[in-house]
Amino acid sequence: MLIFAHRGASKAAPENTVKAFKLAFEQRADGIEFDTYQHESGIIVFHDRTLTRRARESGYLLDLPWQSLTEMDIGDGERIPTLTETLNCVPKDKWCNIEIKHLRDVDSWVKDVKAAVQQSGINADKLLISSFNHHWLQAIALKWPEVKIGALSASYELDCTASARALNAYSVNIALDAVDKQFVQTAQQDGFDVFVYTVDEPRDMLMLKEWGVTGIFTNVPDVALSVLSH
């Protein structure tokens, strides 16, 4: 079962920072997951729409100029990273899940992500793009058909793979609170990998391993590795 560090090793380091991403791989995570906003000047890695929780500043992330954002301290002296800075942390044999929180323009987004992938030298076959906005994912898939799409959901729909089928997705990325063994079996029978978020408790890790899920997103990749290696 693959272990993705959710926003990096975010229990031990500030979430969505270079420090958290590097620590995740030091802790032998199989990959990282992180959140992105498409700013008018590029793609930036951050989770919230507002700056209050992470930067202790008022205002909205996308209202600030690029230079101001990249100079902000979001804990332990860490700055808000760009997409390229983040991908530069990823070893060539590791996975990367880009979650899209905001997208302004699909054409420029695809161009910028492809450029960052090429510049960083990551393995494009281990790149997964996810979002709760499936319209964005559909538009990206049309422009970039070879990229892997993760149909992100917090719901156990009546037809639980309908969105994944419509998107020709690689995986279904489902919330821990929504998933059950039947969901996993149905999704896999329909040809999709199953990733579950956010899994920090050993009991849940072992349950999902027994169910045969492809991977988990966790804030504690070191704990996950210890639990799952036994």
Side-chain angles (χ1 to χ4, degrees):
M1 189 163 73
L2 295 172
I3 299 169
F4 279 77
H6 179 248
R7 308 178 199 170
S10 53
K11 179 76 171 179
E15 68 178 48
N16 283 328
T17 61
V18 166
K19 182 177 182 178
F21 300 139
K22 287 183 175 179
L23 180 58
F25 292 119
E26 289 172 14
Q27 294 179 353
R28 297 166 57 198
D30 296 298
I32 56 171
E33 179 272 353
F34 54 87
D35 310 281
T36 62
Y37 283 76
Q38 188 182 25
H39 188 275
E40 62 183 4
S41 299
I43 298 173
I44 201 155
V45 175
F46 202 74
H47 180 271
D48 299 354
R49 297 171 70 236
T50 59
L51 296 163
T52 310
R53 183 174 67 90
R54 297 303 311 144
R56 298 167 301 281
E57 301 269 356
S58 61
Y60 284 77
L61 178 78
L62 294 175
D63 286 348
L64 269 68
W66 180 267
Q67 188 69 29
S68 298
L69 290 175
T70 56
E71 291 174 352
M72 278 188 173
D73 184 341
I74 54 171
D76 293 359
E78 290 291 302
R79 308 298 180 191
I80 301 174
T82 65
L83 176 62
T84 299
E85 289 169 339
T86 298
L87 295 188
N88 282 338
C89 299
V90 182
K92 289 181 173 57
D93 62 336
K94 298 293 187 178
W95 282 83
C96 178
N97 185 159
I98 300 175
E99 181 180 337
I100 306 169
K101 292 291 188 186
H102 176 79
L103 190 151
R104 300 166 55 94
D105 176 77
V106 173
D107 287 336
S108 61
W109 187 93
V110 169
K111 180 181 177 182
D112 288 351
V113 176
K114 282 185 173 181
V117 167
Q118 185 173 18
Q119 183 177 338
S120 65
I122 69 164
N123 185 348
D125 289 335
K126 292 188 173 183
L127 173 64
L128 188 62
I129 309 297
S130 66
S131 179
F132 287 108
N133 189 321
H134 293 181
H135 296 273
W136 292 343
L137 295 179
Q138 185 178 54
I140 289 165
L142 289 171
K143 299 284 184 182
W144 193 2
E146 61 271 28
V147 78
K148 289 181 170 68
I149 297 293
L152 185 57
S153 179
S155 301
Y156 191 158
E157 303 287 351
L158 295 176
D159 183 350
C160 68
T161 62
S163 291
R165 296 196 310 272
L167 291 166
N168 193 26
Y170 173 79
S171 67
V172 180
N173 297 10
I174 183 74
L176 176 61
D177 289 344
V179 75
D180 66 10
K181 189 173 184 178
Q182 183 59 55
F183 179 101
V184 175
Q185 291 175 342
T186 300
Q188 291 177 337
Q189 286 167 4
D190 287 354
F192 303 104
D193 281 7
V194 179
F195 296 101
V196 181
Y197 70 93
T198 304
V199 187
D200 288 348
E201 296 299 327
R203 178 175 170 179
D204 293 325
M205 295 171 186
L206 292 171
M207 174 186 72
L208 294 170
K209 181 181 180 180
E210 182 185 341
W211 290 354
V213 306
T214 313
I216 59 171
F217 300 99
T218 179
N219 297 310
V220 285
D222 55 339
V223 173
L225 183 70
S226 175
V227 169
L228 297 171
S229 63
H230 290 113

